[in-house]
Amino acid sequence: MLRVVVCVSGGGTNLQAIIDGVQNKTIQNTAIVGVISNNRNAYALTRAEENGIPNCCVSPRDYADRADFNTALLQAVKHYEPDLVVLAGFLVAIPQEMIQEYRDRIINIHPSLIPSFCGKGFYGLKVHEAALARGVKVTGATVHYVDEGLDTGRIIAQKAVEILPEDTPEVLQRRVMEQAEWIILPRAINEIASRQSTEPGSGTNTNKR
Ligand code: GAR
């Protein structure tokens, strides 16, 4: 069973897609063992609560400095003993210690076709605003592993989405979610889970490697 922690900051529609995927078995051999938000008011936490998923808030506001916050975030992740950490709209820079400790076990969903519209300053609605401003006709979403760079890790999956003439950033964001994010993120998790379940010694938490 792949133990997954999902990190969120906002509405949590990608978290919901993962919850739905586990429930309807399009994601197999997977348990969502925890949800972590940096934002106490994130609706994603309500989604976790409603689905009986252990959850917590680790907010930078509650710590004296970034180093203390980073330590607390890593502790919160470790507490759930995950095999995989999924960044589903998590708008916090991942601490270097966490990247090292969970190398190749952190994935992120980004709402563009990387390497377009990614990196510093490109998150949430800003990505779609930039795509519309540039006048591209196709955008999409990318699932990738997280490394030390911003949106630079190995790409796992991408899906293209058409941009229509009348699109606003909000309309485009919704289409990218519906036609790409909510499909490729659950699928990527299922593929990672299926690989893990066929590995020797599967069924055990590999966190302590
Ligand atoms: C999603 O569109 C996700 O791809 C994006 O934030 C949104 C979160 O929505 N993530 C990034 O921009 C990361 N750079 P959600 O809370 O409804 O899943």
Side-chain angles (χ1 to χ4, degrees), residues 10-15 88-89 91 108-111 122-124 173 177 181:
T13 64
N14 279 287
L15 168 65
L91 304 182
N108 179 48
I109 178 86
H110 183 78
F122 288 103
Y123 58 89
Q173 179 181 52
M177 286 173 160
E181 297 185 43

Side-chain angles (χ1 to χ4, degrees), residues 50 71 76 78 81 83 91 103 135 160 172 176 179 185 202 204:
E50 282 173 351
T71 304
K78 279 186 181 174
E81 302 190 338
D83 300 310
L91 304 182
R103 172 94 43 211
L172 181 58
V176 169
Q179 295 186 5
L185 183 59
S202 66
T204 55

